mmCIF file of all heavy atoms in Angstrom:
data_model
loop_
_atom_site.group_PDB
_atom_site.id
_atom_site.type_symbol
_atom_site.label_atom_id
_atom_site.label_comp_id
_atom_site.label_asym_id
_atom_site.label_seq_id
_atom_site.Cartn_x
_atom_site.Cartn_y
_atom_site.Cartn_z
ATOM 1 N N ILE A 221 -29.097 -23.490 6.416
ATOM 2 C CA ILE A 221 -27.869 -23.943 7.069
ATOM 3 C C ILE A 221 -27.728 -25.465 6.970
ATOM 4 O O ILE A 221 -26.625 -25.997 6.853
ATOM 5 C CB ILE A 221 -27.804 -23.440 8.533
ATOM 6 C CG1 ILE A 221 -26.346 -23.346 8.997
ATOM 7 C CG2 ILE A 221 -28.622 -24.271 9.475
ATOM 8 C CD1 ILE A 221 -26.157 -22.538 10.252
ATOM 9 N N LYS A 222 -28.853 -26.160 6.960
ATOM 10 C CA LYS A 222 -28.793 -27.623 6.805
ATOM 11 C C LYS A 222 -28.313 -28.005 5.404
ATOM 12 O O LYS A 222 -27.695 -29.052 5.230
ATOM 13 C CB LYS A 222 -30.162 -28.244 7.084
ATOM 14 C CG LYS A 222 -30.457 -28.327 8.570
ATOM 15 C CD LYS A 222 -31.822 -28.932 8.827
ATOM 16 C CE LYS A 222 -32.038 -29.108 10.325
ATOM 17 N NZ LYS A 222 -33.385 -29.587 10.648
ATOM 18 N N ALA A 223 -28.602 -27.170 4.428
ATOM 19 C CA ALA A 223 -28.114 -27.440 3.069
ATOM 20 C C ALA A 223 -26.613 -27.177 2.971
ATOM 21 O O ALA A 223 -25.898 -27.877 2.249
ATOM 22 C CB ALA A 223 -28.875 -26.566 2.068
ATOM 23 N N LEU A 224 -26.134 -26.173 3.716
ATOM 24 C CA LEU A 224 -24.734 -25.757 3.549
ATOM 25 C C LEU A 224 -23.748 -26.481 4.457
ATOM 26 O O LEU A 224 -22.592 -26.696 4.077
ATOM 27 C CB LEU A 224 -24.613 -24.244 3.763
ATOM 28 C CG LEU A 224 -25.164 -23.410 2.603
ATOM 29 C CD1 LEU A 224 -25.288 -21.951 2.995
ATOM 30 C CD2 LEU A 224 -24.283 -23.549 1.356
ATOM 31 N N TYR A 225 -24.190 -26.880 5.650
ATOM 32 C CA TYR A 225 -23.225 -27.492 6.586
ATOM 33 C C TYR A 225 -22.522 -28.729 6.008
ATOM 34 O O TYR A 225 -21.296 -28.879 6.165
ATOM 35 C CB TYR A 225 -23.881 -27.823 7.922
ATOM 36 C CG TYR A 225 -23.447 -26.877 9.031
ATOM 37 C CD1 TYR A 225 -24.379 -26.283 9.861
ATOM 38 C CD2 TYR A 225 -22.100 -26.597 9.246
ATOM 39 C CE1 TYR A 225 -23.985 -25.408 10.868
ATOM 40 C CE2 TYR A 225 -21.703 -25.730 10.248
ATOM 41 C CZ TYR A 225 -22.650 -25.138 11.060
ATOM 42 O OH TYR A 225 -22.258 -24.279 12.042
ATOM 43 N N PRO A 226 -23.249 -29.624 5.338
ATOM 44 C CA PRO A 226 -22.525 -30.780 4.779
ATOM 45 C C PRO A 226 -21.462 -30.374 3.763
ATOM 46 O O PRO A 226 -20.442 -31.051 3.613
ATOM 47 C CB PRO A 226 -23.643 -31.590 4.101
ATOM 48 C CG PRO A 226 -24.908 -31.145 4.763
ATOM 49 C CD PRO A 226 -24.695 -29.706 5.124
ATOM 50 N N ILE A 227 -21.685 -29.264 3.086
ATOM 51 C CA ILE A 227 -20.702 -28.788 2.107
ATOM 52 C C ILE A 227 -19.487 -28.206 2.841
ATOM 53 O O ILE A 227 -18.338 -28.568 2.569
ATOM 54 C CB ILE A 227 -21.340 -27.724 1.185
ATOM 55 C CG1 ILE A 227 -22.505 -28.351 0.416
ATOM 56 C CG2 ILE A 227 -20.307 -27.127 0.236
ATOM 57 C CD1 ILE A 227 -23.374 -27.357 -0.330
ATOM 58 N N TRP A 228 -19.757 -27.315 3.801
ATOM 59 C CA TRP A 228 -18.646 -26.716 4.555
ATOM 60 C C TRP A 228 -17.879 -27.786 5.345
ATOM 61 O O TRP A 228 -16.661 -27.701 5.503
ATOM 62 C CB TRP A 228 -19.176 -25.670 5.551
ATOM 63 C CG TRP A 228 -19.909 -24.531 4.926
ATOM 64 C CD1 TRP A 228 -19.750 -24.027 3.657
ATOM 65 C CD2 TRP A 228 -20.935 -23.740 5.539
ATOM 66 N NE1 TRP A 228 -20.607 -22.979 3.460
ATOM 67 C CE2 TRP A 228 -21.332 -22.768 4.587
ATOM 68 C CE3 TRP A 228 -21.544 -23.738 6.797
ATOM 69 C CZ2 TRP A 228 -22.327 -21.817 4.868
ATOM 70 C CZ3 TRP A 228 -22.521 -22.792 7.079
ATOM 71 C CH2 TRP A 228 -22.909 -21.844 6.113
ATOM 72 N N ALA A 229 -18.612 -28.802 5.832
ATOM 73 C CA ALA A 229 -18.022 -29.759 6.777
ATOM 74 C C ALA A 229 -16.981 -30.658 6.144
ATOM 75 O O ALA A 229 -16.173 -31.249 6.854
ATOM 76 C CB ALA A 229 -19.128 -30.620 7.386
ATOM 77 N N LYS A 230 -16.970 -30.756 4.852
ATOM 78 C CA LYS A 230 -15.964 -31.637 4.247
ATOM 79 C C LYS A 230 -14.592 -30.979 4.244
ATOM 80 O O LYS A 230 -13.590 -31.621 3.969
ATOM 81 C CB LYS A 230 -16.378 -32.039 2.841
ATOM 82 C CG LYS A 230 -16.329 -30.932 1.813
ATOM 83 C CD LYS A 230 -17.052 -31.363 0.560
ATOM 84 C CE LYS A 230 -17.018 -30.280 -0.501
ATOM 85 N NZ LYS A 230 -15.678 -30.029 -1.005
ATOM 86 N N GLY A 231 -14.570 -29.712 4.585
ATOM 87 C CA GLY A 231 -13.282 -29.054 4.778
ATOM 88 C C GLY A 231 -12.766 -28.417 3.502
ATOM 89 O O GLY A 231 -12.993 -28.919 2.412
ATOM 90 N N MET A 232 -12.079 -27.298 3.685
ATOM 91 C CA MET A 232 -11.458 -26.622 2.551
ATOM 92 C C MET A 232 -9.968 -26.498 2.828
ATOM 93 O O MET A 232 -9.538 -26.547 3.986
ATOM 94 C CB MET A 232 -12.106 -25.256 2.306
ATOM 95 C CG MET A 232 -12.009 -24.286 3.456
ATOM 96 S SD MET A 232 -12.899 -22.738 3.139
ATOM 97 C CE MET A 232 -14.600 -23.248 2.987
ATOM 98 N N SER A 233 -9.202 -26.369 1.777
ATOM 99 C CA SER A 233 -7.757 -26.281 1.957
ATOM 100 C C SER A 233 -7.398 -24.920 2.557
ATOM 101 O O SER A 233 -8.144 -23.937 2.398
ATOM 102 C CB SER A 233 -7.054 -26.437 0.607
ATOM 103 O OG SER A 233 -7.347 -25.310 -0.196
ATOM 104 N N PRO A 234 -6.242 -24.838 3.216
ATOM 105 C CA PRO A 234 -5.795 -23.531 3.720
ATOM 106 C C PRO A 234 -5.678 -22.505 2.589
ATOM 107 O O PRO A 234 -5.959 -21.326 2.790
ATOM 108 C CB PRO A 234 -4.423 -23.831 4.330
ATOM 109 C CG PRO A 234 -4.444 -25.288 4.640
ATOM 110 C CD PRO A 234 -5.331 -25.926 3.609
ATOM 111 N N GLU A 235 -5.300 -22.956 1.387
ATOM 112 C CA GLU A 235 -5.158 -22.027 0.264
ATOM 113 C C GLU A 235 -6.519 -21.450 -0.136
ATOM 114 O O GLU A 235 -6.644 -20.260 -0.427
ATOM 115 C CB GLU A 235 -4.530 -22.748 -0.945
ATOM 116 C CG GLU A 235 -3.091 -23.196 -0.736
ATOM 117 C CD GLU A 235 -2.954 -24.410 0.191
ATOM 118 O OE1 GLU A 235 -3.919 -25.214 0.287
ATOM 119 O OE2 GLU A 235 -1.905 -24.533 0.843
ATOM 120 N N ALA A 236 -7.541 -22.331 -0.154
ATOM 121 C CA ALA A 236 -8.883 -21.849 -0.499
ATOM 122 C C ALA A 236 -9.398 -20.888 0.576
ATOM 123 O O ALA A 236 -10.010 -19.857 0.266
ATOM 124 C CB ALA A 236 -9.835 -23.036 -0.659
#
Side-chain angles (χ1 to χ4, degrees):
I221 205 165
K222 282 179 175 175
L224 286 168
Y225 253 132
I227 298 169
W228 300 333
K230 70 193 180 66
M232 60 184 63
S233 68
E235 294 74 26

